[in-house]
């Protein structure tokens, strides 16, 4: 069903026409709305709290939070003030500002696994640096990666193999998430050459139900890394600071050697971090990683303000409370309307897929019905809540979903 004419989209359409001439494919990557059913806006004008306005003035409650970075709500005043103050003094300077040290200290104080921190810009920078540090520290080559897991858009791990050579992946070996036997088999296959296992805190692959890590699986990853003297890399880029401020596997009692962070760390400012333990400190000091903008001081100041506010405000409990209200409300509605919707993963990072909906026909219809009622959802990527999603906004979402289910049923 094409609902593309149900919202005003003239400005969006004009921008897309211009983009088609000067941007390959009109848009690249995960934000290309050609990946979504027709009717989604590509371009946005502004955002505030849990709300988003497109270039045609349509207003949405945003359940994507920029695919994760926005955790305190768009344009959080405390974060914006900290970033603006630093930017006025200097941002991209000839060296870092004091906020770099302050942020590293804050991360080491917050994350029990971490003795040090380094910074970059994107999650892919952080995961790639973790792998480089693990190889440097162990003097080995092989990296075990869960099949289907996303660790970034660079040749060793990109989900597309277009433009990637076999050599780029020569030392990457796959296992099945939450499957201890397959992990053990993969480790045996590379015995003597295992540098690292890289794993996300839970299975949040797109286009499928999410799966929490079983405590047995998390412990097996730790045991296998210990017995092979390899690094356990926790890729907390997507889940980081939404499940547990101390690191997403801390509640399971499993500590990584290296962790990759980005997305929510600075409430939308571009920043990534690698944190690590004493064992990998020397390797981290020996590798050569850098980028022209990696020391940008405004993003560091934004991250300090973000982490302080997350710690001071009971942020995780607040996102969980809103997430539970959303999950329970939607479950009741789906049942009442007789629609087979399955909700998986942590409530603050919900995935909603219809059972047996392999081609997302029901999912696409649902998100379009919701979109035209002022709520921005995604048909097959996990969504994200922020602390700005209060009960009133969740209830607004539930009004839209109820009407959407009704239209579908
Ligand atoms: C688990 C995970 N790792 C790494 C990345 C890569 O981060 P970025 O897109 O900032 O390079 C992502 C991005 O979605 C991610 O979800």
């Amino acid at each position: 069903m094409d609902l593309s004419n149900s919202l005003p989209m003239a400005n969006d359409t004009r921008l897309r026409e211009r983009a088609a001439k000067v941007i390959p494919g009109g848009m690249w990557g995960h934000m290309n709305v050609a990946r979504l059913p027709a009717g989604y806006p590509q371009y946005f004008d502004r955002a505030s709290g849990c709300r988003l306005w497109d270039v045609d003035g349509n207003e949405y409650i945003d359940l994507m939070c920029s695919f994760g970075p926005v955790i305190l709500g768009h344009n959080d005043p405390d974060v914006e003030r900290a970033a603006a103050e630093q930017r006025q003094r200097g941002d991209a300077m000839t060296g870092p500002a004091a906020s770099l040290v302050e942020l590293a200290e804050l991360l080491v104080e917050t994350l029990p696994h971490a003795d040090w921190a380094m910074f970059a810009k994107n999650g892919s920078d952080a995961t790639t640096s973790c792998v480089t540090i693990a190889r440097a520290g162990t003097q080995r080559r092989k990296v075990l990666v869960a099949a289907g897991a996303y660790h970034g858009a660079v040749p060793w791990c990109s989900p597309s193999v277009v433009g990637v050579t076999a050599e780029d992946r020569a030392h990457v070996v796959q296992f099945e998430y939450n499957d201890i036997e397959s992990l053990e088999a993969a480790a045996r296959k590379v015995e003597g050459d295992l540098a690292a296992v890289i794993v996300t805190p839970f299975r949040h692959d797109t286009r499928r139900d999410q799966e929490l890590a079983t405590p047995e699986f998390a412990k097996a990853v730790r045991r296998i890394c210990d017995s092979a003297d390899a690094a356990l890399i926790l890729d907390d880029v997507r889940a980081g600071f939404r499940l547990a401020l101390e690191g997403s596997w801390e509640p399971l009692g499993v500590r990584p050697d290296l962790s990759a962070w980005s997305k929510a760390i600075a409430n939308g400012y571009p920043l990534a971090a690698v944190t690590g333990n004493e064992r990998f400190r020397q390797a981290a000091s020996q590798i050569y990683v850098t980028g022209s903008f990696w020391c940008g001081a405004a993003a560091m100041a934004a991250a300090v303000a973000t982490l302080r506010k997350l710690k001071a405000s009971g942020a995780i409990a607040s996102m969980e409370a809103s997430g539970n209200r959303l999950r329970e409300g939607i479950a009741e509605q789906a049942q009442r309307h007789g629609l087979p919707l399955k909700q998986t993963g942590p409530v603050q990072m919900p995935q909603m897929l219809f059972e047996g909906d392999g081609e997302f026909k029901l999912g696409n219809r649902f998100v379009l019905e919701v979109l035209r009622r002022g709520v921005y959802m995604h048909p097959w990527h996990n969504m994200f809540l922020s602390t700005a999603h209060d009960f009133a906004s969740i209830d607004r979402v539930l009004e839209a979903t109820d009407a959407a289910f009704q239209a579908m049923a």
Side-chain angles (χ1 to χ4, degrees):
M1 185 176 182
D2 182 357
L3 296 176
S4 46
N5 293 326
S6 59
L7 290 170
M9 293 193 80
N11 294 336
D12 195 78
T13 305
R14 269 195 297 277
L15 282 168
R16 287 195 211 202
E17 284 163 2
R18 285 164 58 194
K21 295 184 187 138
V22 290
I23 295 169
M27 176 53 81
W28 60 90
H30 68 298
M31 286 187 179
N32 184 348
V33 293
R35 297 153 64 88
L36 295 174
Y40 270 78
Q42 178 70 77
Y43 294 96
F44 293 92
D45 181 45
R46 64 196 171 93
S48 173
C50 65
R51 282 160 209 273
L52 193 57
W53 287 264
D54 68 22
V55 288
D56 288 281
N58 301 302
E59 177 180 330
Y60 310 94
I61 293 185
D62 180 14
L63 289 186
M64 287 311 289
C65 291
S66 317
F67 287 78
V70 171
I71 191 167
L72 294 168
H74 293 281
N75 257 316
D76 177 79
D78 297 315
V79 177
E80 293 309 314
R81 196 175 312 113
E85 277 172 10
Q86 179 59 60
R87 199 181 304 106
Q88 266 180 354
R89 291 200 302 277
D91 182 15
M93 299 184 283
T94 306
S99 50
L100 178 135
V101 181
E102 199 181 345
L103 179 57
E105 285 171 347
L106 186 54
L107 285 170
V108 167
E109 173 195 308
T110 308
L111 308 171
H113 94 96
D115 296 311
W116 52 264
M118 293 165 75
F119 301 104
K121 279 292 147 199
N122 287 287
S124 307
D125 302 332
T127 53
T128 303
S129 292
C130 284
V131 168
T132 309
I133 292 166
R135 285 179 171 146
T138 58
Q139 295 289 300
R140 309 212 198 99
R141 299 176 299 173
K142 304 293 181 189
V143 178
L144 306 190
V145 177
Y150 186 68
H151 295 295
V154 281
W156 72 269
C157 60
S158 161
S160 163
V161 292
V162 179
V164 171
T165 66
E167 288 79 4
D168 289 318
R169 307 269 171 111
H171 300 298
V172 173
V173 175
Q174 293 194 335
F175 64 91
E176 284 300 312
Y177 199 94
N178 262 343
D179 181 337
I180 298 172
E181 268 178 37
S182 91
L183 179 64
E184 284 171 339
R188 271 197 304 277
K189 206 163 130 188
V190 300
E191 206 175 338
D193 202 11
L194 181 62
V197 179
I198 182 167
V199 67
T200 55
F202 64 98
R203 188 171 191 178
H204 49 44
D205 311 350
T206 56
R207 296 184 162 86
R208 53 167 295 151
D209 292 334
Q210 301 192 107
E211 242 181 82
L212 297 182
T214 66
E216 297 74 32
F217 171 71
K219 290 188 175 108
V221 180
R222 187 63 273 175
R223 174 171 49 74
I224 285 163
C225 289
D226 287 343
S227 70
D229 215 17
L232 194 174
I233 302 171
L234 191 64
D235 178 356
D236 232 333
V237 168
R238 194 180 309 181
F241 306 114
R242 274 195 167 81
L243 305 191
L245 295 183
E246 302 76 22
S248 296
W249 271 8
E250 198 59 25
L252 298 181
V254 174
R255 288 193 182 152
D257 298 296
L258 298 163
S259 270
W261 307 87
S262 187
K263 290 207 185 267
I265 194 170
N267 203 49
Y269 280 83
L271 192 72
V274 173
T275 53
N277 61 16
E278 222 36 81
R279 188 175 153 218
F280 287 92
R281 183 192 291 268
Q282 203 194 353
S285 71
Q286 285 170 337
I287 62 161
Y288 189 76
V289 282
T290 191
S292 298
F293 300 103
W294 284 18
C295 288
M300 304 278 173
V304 169
T306 301
L307 295 182
R308 290 224 172 102
K309 190 159 180 177
L310 287 173
K311 287 172 93 165
S313 64
I316 290 182
S318 141
M319 288 184 280
E320 276 174 349
S322 296
N324 276 320
R325 191 176 182 91
L326 180 66
R327 181 157 299 181
E328 285 161 18
I330 288 199
E332 183 279 320
Q333 293 172 352
Q335 195 185 24
R336 177 158 41 83
H337 293 289
L339 286 159
L341 187 76
K342 200 163 166 198
Q343 304 184 75
T344 55
V347 292
Q348 58 275 52
M349 295 175 65
Q351 174 82 310
M352 300 183 196
L353 301 178
F354 289 86
E355 279 171 37
D357 189 32
E359 290 172 25
F360 305 103
K361 285 193 179 135
L362 285 174
N364 286 344
R365 170 91 196 274
F366 178 60
V367 293
L368 285 174
E369 292 284 0
V370 168
L371 187 78
R372 64 203 287 228
R373 292 173 172 88
V375 176
Y376 193 104
M377 295 177 102
H378 200 289
W380 44 258
H381 191 292
N382 75 269
M383 295 177 268
F384 299 86
L385 295 191
S386 73
T387 59
H389 289 87
D390 55 9
F391 281 4
S393 63
I394 296 296
D395 291 345
R396 259 288 293 120
V397 171
L398 289 171
E399 277 170 35
T401 53
D402 199 24
F405 283 132
Q406 179 138 26
M408 290 170 72

